[in-house]
Amino acid sequence: MRQGGKIASIRYLAYNERMKRERLVVALLLALFAFSVLLSISSRQLELTEAQLGLSTDVISNKGIAVVQLNGTISFSDNNQFLAPFSAESVLSQINTITEDKRVKGLLIRINSPGGTVGASQELYHAIMDFKEKTQLPVVASIADMGTSGAYYTAMAADVIFANPGSLVGSIGVILSSFNLEKLAERFGIDVNIYKSAAHKDILSNWRQATTKEKAVLNDLMTNVHQQFVRDLMKSRKMNRSQAESVADGRFFSGEQAKTLGLVDHLEGFQEALNYTAKVAGIEGKPLIIRKAKRGITNWMSLLRQEITTSLLNALHIGPKLQ
């Protein structure tokens, strides 16, 4: 029994040592994996930065084209620029910074947006107009998939607008809507008490049908804002009122249709728009690209998730491989 117990004890110690070694190896592998992910992200970020800044080009001239992206719904965000890198505040901040950058010889706005709130769209429009007045530099807009409503409002501030033949352009109009839950409330026996200081304070209430007078008030509001859009359209696109009102009925247009109607100037993509901006800015060859956007946390998280997934698949040998 003593001999057997001694053997068992030796085996137990050997097992313990083996487990310790395995745990150490696993810990080292995890640390190595984490380090490789961070290193990969850093490398990827460096590559992105070099591409964005045009470091592969001749930067001795120190002249470049500022590129600002307008993506997604246009609005003022409650978050800071780090959390919302493409909010109206972020774009306005970039334009302000670009105005002071002496390297900038032209501004290219890359748009891929369905529009957004009236106030934010108008601020972007006027910020670009102010940029042109202060710097006397060329401004070009390039519409990717979509540049409609408030996004087109922003694009109108540019000297020249590019779009793809199949891009969605236009939707020049204003809309306001609300739910009417009155019948639903009646069905479930829900009573809503409203206390107000003025007749129209609950004009957009979801708990009752709007009155005829309220509908007239809201339609007057929408007409007023729409006319602001039309006036800026006439000014920026050199249209008379009849021409402007004929295209400002809320319709979407393809890029081709928009060019025929005078809403865009060229049917080409981003690279062509960049080359055009550089040409009118007097820059020869491949231009230096200057970006001022701060990288948001969503961009970092997406990049991190991609790197972790790829590394795990490689470590586990999952997925097709070329041997």
Side-chain angles (χ1 to χ4, degrees), residues 49-84:
T49 303
E50 289 176 348
Q52 290 171 353
L53 294 178
L55 296 183
S56 59
T57 67
D58 181 9
V59 298
I60 296 176
S61 64
N62 206 31
K63 296 178 181 180
I65 301 301
V67 176
V68 173
Q69 288 182 287
L70 179 60
N71 294 340
T73 304
I74 301 171
S75 67
F76 290 114
S77 172
D78 292 332
N79 298 319
N80 59 34
Q81 292 178 35
F82 181 67
L83 295 172

Short mmCIF file of all heavy atoms in Angstrom, two decimals, residues 49-84:
data_model
loop_
_atom_site.label_atom_id
_atom_site.label_comp_id
_atom_site.label_asym_id
_atom_site.label_seq_id
_atom_site.Cartn_x
_atom_site.Cartn_y
_atom_site.Cartn_z
N THR A 49 -3.95 55.96 -41.80
CA THR A 49 -3.50 57.34 -41.69
C THR A 49 -2.64 57.74 -42.86
O THR A 49 -2.79 58.82 -43.43
CB THR A 49 -2.71 57.53 -40.38
OG1 THR A 49 -3.53 57.16 -39.28
CG2 THR A 49 -2.29 58.99 -40.21
N GLU A 50 -1.73 56.84 -43.27
CA GLU A 50 -0.87 57.14 -44.40
C GLU A 50 -1.68 57.31 -45.68
O GLU A 50 -1.43 58.21 -46.47
CB GLU A 50 0.16 56.03 -44.58
CG GLU A 50 1.22 56.02 -43.49
CD GLU A 50 2.18 54.86 -43.64
OE1 GLU A 50 1.89 53.96 -44.44
OE2 GLU A 50 3.19 54.87 -42.96
N ALA A 51 -2.70 56.44 -45.84
CA ALA A 51 -3.53 56.54 -47.03
C ALA A 51 -4.34 57.83 -47.03
O ALA A 51 -4.49 58.49 -48.05
CB ALA A 51 -4.47 55.33 -47.11
N GLN A 52 -4.87 58.17 -45.83
CA GLN A 52 -5.70 59.36 -45.73
C GLN A 52 -4.89 60.63 -45.95
O GLN A 52 -5.34 61.58 -46.56
CB GLN A 52 -6.38 59.41 -44.36
CG GLN A 52 -7.46 58.36 -44.18
CD GLN A 52 -7.95 58.29 -42.76
OE1 GLN A 52 -7.40 58.93 -41.87
NE2 GLN A 52 -8.99 57.52 -42.53
N LEU A 53 -3.67 60.66 -45.44
CA LEU A 53 -2.86 61.85 -45.55
C LEU A 53 -2.09 61.92 -46.86
O LEU A 53 -1.44 62.91 -47.15
CB LEU A 53 -1.87 61.91 -44.37
CG LEU A 53 -2.50 62.09 -43.00
CD1 LEU A 53 -1.42 62.08 -41.94
CD2 LEU A 53 -3.29 63.38 -42.92
N GLY A 54 -2.16 60.84 -47.64
CA GLY A 54 -1.49 60.84 -48.93
C GLY A 54 0.02 60.82 -48.80
O GLY A 54 0.73 61.45 -49.57
N LEU A 55 0.54 60.09 -47.78
CA LEU A 55 1.98 60.10 -47.55
C LEU A 55 2.76 59.39 -48.64
O LEU A 55 3.97 59.52 -48.71
CB LEU A 55 2.28 59.46 -46.19
CG LEU A 55 1.73 60.22 -44.99
CD1 LEU A 55 2.15 59.52 -43.70
CD2 LEU A 55 2.22 61.66 -44.97
N SER A 56 2.04 58.62 -49.47
CA SER A 56 2.73 57.96 -50.57
C SER A 56 2.97 58.93 -51.73
O SER A 56 3.63 58.60 -52.69
CB SER A 56 1.90 56.77 -51.07
OG SER A 56 0.63 57.20 -51.49
N THR A 57 2.41 60.14 -51.65
CA THR A 57 2.58 61.13 -52.70
C THR A 57 3.66 62.11 -52.31
O THR A 57 4.17 62.11 -51.20
CB THR A 57 1.27 61.89 -52.94
OG1 THR A 57 0.99 62.67 -51.77
CG2 THR A 57 0.10 60.96 -53.17
N ASP A 58 3.98 62.99 -53.23
CA ASP A 58 5.00 64.01 -52.97
C ASP A 58 4.36 65.13 -52.14
O ASP A 58 3.53 65.89 -52.63
CB ASP A 58 5.51 64.57 -54.29
CG ASP A 58 6.58 65.62 -54.09
OD1 ASP A 58 7.03 65.79 -52.95
OD2 ASP A 58 6.95 66.26 -55.08
N VAL A 59 4.72 65.22 -50.85
CA VAL A 59 4.10 66.20 -49.96
C VAL A 59 5.01 67.41 -49.76
O VAL A 59 4.76 68.25 -48.89
CB VAL A 59 3.78 65.57 -48.59
CG1 VAL A 59 2.80 64.46 -48.74
CG2 VAL A 59 5.06 65.07 -47.90
N ILE A 60 6.07 67.52 -50.56
CA ILE A 60 7.00 68.64 -50.40
C ILE A 60 6.29 69.97 -50.68
O ILE A 60 6.56 70.99 -50.06
CB ILE A 60 8.20 68.48 -51.34
CG1 ILE A 60 9.00 67.22 -50.95
CG2 ILE A 60 9.10 69.70 -51.30
CD1 ILE A 60 10.15 66.91 -51.88
N SER A 61 5.32 69.94 -51.63
CA SER A 61 4.60 71.17 -51.97
C SER A 61 3.74 71.65 -50.82
O SER A 61 3.38 72.82 -50.75
CB SER A 61 3.71 70.93 -53.20
OG SER A 61 2.71 69.97 -52.89
N ASN A 62 3.38 70.74 -49.90
CA ASN A 62 2.59 71.09 -48.72
C ASN A 62 1.23 71.67 -49.08
O ASN A 62 0.66 72.46 -48.33
CB ASN A 62 3.36 72.07 -47.82
CG ASN A 62 2.92 71.98 -46.38
OD1 ASN A 62 2.52 70.91 -45.92
ND2 ASN A 62 2.98 73.07 -45.66
N LYS A 63 0.70 71.26 -50.25
CA LYS A 63 -0.62 71.70 -50.66
C LYS A 63 -1.52 70.47 -50.77
O LYS A 63 -1.07 69.41 -51.20
CB LYS A 63 -0.56 72.41 -52.02
CG LYS A 63 0.23 73.70 -52.02
CD LYS A 63 0.26 74.28 -53.42
CE LYS A 63 1.08 75.57 -53.47
NZ LYS A 63 1.12 76.13 -54.85
N GLY A 64 -2.77 70.62 -50.38
CA GLY A 64 -3.64 69.46 -50.44
C GLY A 64 -5.11 69.82 -50.52
O GLY A 64 -5.49 70.99 -50.45
N ILE A 65 -5.92 68.77 -50.68
CA ILE A 65 -7.38 68.91 -50.73
C ILE A 65 -7.95 68.34 -49.43
O ILE A 65 -7.68 67.19 -49.08
CB ILE A 65 -7.97 68.16 -51.94
CG1 ILE A 65 -7.37 68.69 -53.25
CG2 ILE A 65 -9.49 68.28 -51.95
CD1 ILE A 65 -7.60 70.16 -53.48
N ALA A 66 -8.74 69.13 -48.74
CA ALA A 66 -9.41 68.66 -47.53
C ALA A 66 -10.62 67.84 -47.93
O ALA A 66 -11.41 68.26 -48.78
CB ALA A 66 -9.83 69.84 -46.66
N VAL A 67 -10.75 66.65 -47.33
CA VAL A 67 -11.89 65.78 -47.59
C VAL A 67 -12.70 65.63 -46.31
O VAL A 67 -12.17 65.22 -45.27
CB VAL A 67 -11.45 64.40 -48.10
CG1 VAL A 67 -12.65 63.48 -48.28
CG2 VAL A 67 -10.68 64.54 -49.41
N VAL A 68 -13.97 65.98 -46.39
CA VAL A 68 -14.89 65.87 -45.25
C VAL A 68 -16.01 64.91 -45.62
O VAL A 68 -16.61 65.03 -46.69
CB VAL A 68 -15.48 67.24 -44.87
CG1 VAL A 68 -16.55 67.09 -43.81
CG2 VAL A 68 -14.37 68.17 -44.38
N GLN A 69 -16.29 63.95 -44.75
CA GLN A 69 -17.35 62.98 -45.00
C GLN A 69 -18.63 63.38 -44.29
O GLN A 69 -18.62 63.75 -43.12
CB GLN A 69 -16.93 61.60 -44.51
CG GLN A 69 -15.85 60.94 -45.36
CD GLN A 69 -15.53 59.56 -44.84
OE1 GLN A 69 -14.90 59.42 -43.81
NE2 GLN A 69 -15.96 58.54 -45.56
N LEU A 70 -19.74 63.30 -45.02
CA LEU A 70 -21.06 63.52 -44.44
C LEU A 70 -21.85 62.23 -44.63
O LEU A 70 -22.37 61.96 -45.71
CB LEU A 70 -21.76 64.69 -45.13
CG LEU A 70 -23.16 65.04 -44.65
CD1 LEU A 70 -23.16 65.40 -43.17
CD2 LEU A 70 -23.75 66.18 -45.47
N ASN A 71 -21.89 61.42 -43.58
CA ASN A 71 -22.52 60.09 -43.66
C ASN A 71 -23.71 59.99 -42.72
O ASN A 71 -23.71 60.55 -41.63
CB ASN A 71 -21.51 59.00 -43.27
CG ASN A 71 -20.36 58.90 -44.26
OD1 ASN A 71 -20.46 59.34 -45.39
ND2 ASN A 71 -19.26 58.32 -43.81
N GLY A 72 -24.71 59.23 -43.14
CA GLY A 72 -25.85 58.96 -42.26
C GLY A 72 -26.76 60.16 -42.07
O GLY A 72 -26.67 61.17 -42.75
N THR A 73 -27.66 60.02 -41.11
CA THR A 73 -28.65 61.06 -40.84
C THR A 73 -27.98 62.31 -40.29
O THR A 73 -27.14 62.24 -39.41
CB THR A 73 -29.69 60.55 -39.83
OG1 THR A 73 -30.29 59.35 -40.34
CG2 THR A 73 -30.78 61.58 -39.61
N ILE A 74 -28.38 63.45 -40.82
CA ILE A 74 -27.81 64.73 -40.39
C ILE A 74 -28.58 65.25 -39.18
O ILE A 74 -29.80 65.48 -39.25
CB ILE A 74 -27.89 65.76 -41.52
CG1 ILE A 74 -27.13 65.24 -42.75
CG2 ILE A 74 -27.34 67.11 -41.08
CD1 ILE A 74 -27.32 66.10 -43.99
N SER A 75 -27.89 65.44 -38.09
CA SER A 75 -28.51 66.00 -36.89
C SER A 75 -27.43 66.39 -35.91
O SER A 75 -26.27 65.99 -36.06
CB SER A 75 -29.45 64.99 -36.23
OG SER A 75 -28.72 63.89 -35.72
N PHE A 76 -27.81 67.17 -34.93
CA PHE A 76 -26.90 67.49 -33.85
C PHE A 76 -27.00 66.37 -32.83
O PHE A 76 -28.09 65.95 -32.45
CB PHE A 76 -27.26 68.83 -33.21
CG PHE A 76 -26.96 70.00 -34.11
CD1 PHE A 76 -27.99 70.78 -34.61
CD2 PHE A 76 -25.66 70.30 -34.47
CE1 PHE A 76 -27.72 71.85 -35.46
CE2 PHE A 76 -25.37 71.37 -35.31
CZ PHE A 76 -26.41 72.14 -35.80
N SER A 77 -25.85 65.87 -32.39
CA SER A 77 -25.81 64.70 -31.52
C SER A 77 -25.62 65.12 -30.07
O SER A 77 -24.97 66.12 -29.77
CB SER A 77 -24.67 63.77 -31.94
OG SER A 77 -24.48 62.74 -31.01
N ASP A 78 -26.19 64.29 -29.15
CA ASP A 78 -25.97 64.50 -27.72
C ASP A 78 -24.59 64.01 -27.31
O ASP A 78 -24.09 64.35 -26.24
CB ASP A 78 -27.02 63.75 -26.89
CG ASP A 78 -28.41 64.36 -27.09
OD1 ASP A 78 -28.47 65.56 -27.37
OD2 ASP A 78 -29.40 63.63 -26.95
N ASN A 79 -23.98 63.17 -28.17
CA ASN A 79 -22.66 62.61 -27.85
C ASN A 79 -21.56 63.56 -28.31
O ASN A 79 -21.78 64.45 -29.13
CB ASN A 79 -22.48 61.25 -28.54
CG ASN A 79 -23.49 60.24 -28.06
OD1 ASN A 79 -23.79 60.18 -26.88
ND2 ASN A 79 -24.04 59.46 -28.98
N ASN A 80 -20.35 63.32 -27.80
CA ASN A 80 -19.22 64.12 -28.28
C ASN A 80 -18.73 63.58 -29.62
O ASN A 80 -19.21 62.56 -30.11
CB ASN A 80 -18.09 64.16 -27.24
CG ASN A 80 -17.57 62.76 -26.92
OD1 ASN A 80 -17.52 61.88 -27.79
ND2 ASN A 80 -17.18 62.54 -25.69
N GLN A 81 -17.75 64.25 -30.21
CA GLN A 81 -17.28 63.86 -31.54
C GLN A 81 -16.61 62.50 -31.55
O GLN A 81 -16.60 61.82 -32.56
CB GLN A 81 -16.30 64.93 -32.05
CG GLN A 81 -16.95 66.26 -32.33
CD GLN A 81 -15.94 67.29 -32.77
OE1 GLN A 81 -14.98 66.97 -33.46
NE2 GLN A 81 -16.14 68.53 -32.38
N PHE A 82 -16.05 62.08 -30.41
CA PHE A 82 -15.40 60.77 -30.35
C PHE A 82 -16.41 59.65 -30.51
O PHE A 82 -16.16 58.64 -31.14
CB PHE A 82 -14.66 60.63 -29.02
CG PHE A 82 -13.93 59.32 -28.89
CD1 PHE A 82 -12.84 59.04 -29.70
CD2 PHE A 82 -14.34 58.37 -27.96
CE1 PHE A 82 -12.17 57.83 -29.59
CE2 PHE A 82 -13.68 57.17 -27.85
CZ PHE A 82 -12.59 56.90 -28.66
N LEU A 83 -17.63 59.85 -29.92
CA LEU A 83 -18.67 58.84 -30.01
C LEU A 83 -19.46 58.96 -31.31
O LEU A 83 -20.04 57.99 -31.77
CB LEU A 83 -19.62 58.96 -28.82
CG LEU A 83 -19.01 58.66 -27.44
CD1 LEU A 83 -20.00 59.01 -26.34
CD2 LEU A 83 -18.59 57.20 -27.34
N ALA A 84 -19.54 60.14 -31.86
CA ALA A 84 -20.32 60.36 -33.08
C ALA A 84 -19.47 61.13 -34.09
O ALA A 84 -19.62 62.34 -34.25
CB ALA A 84 -21.59 61.14 -32.75
#
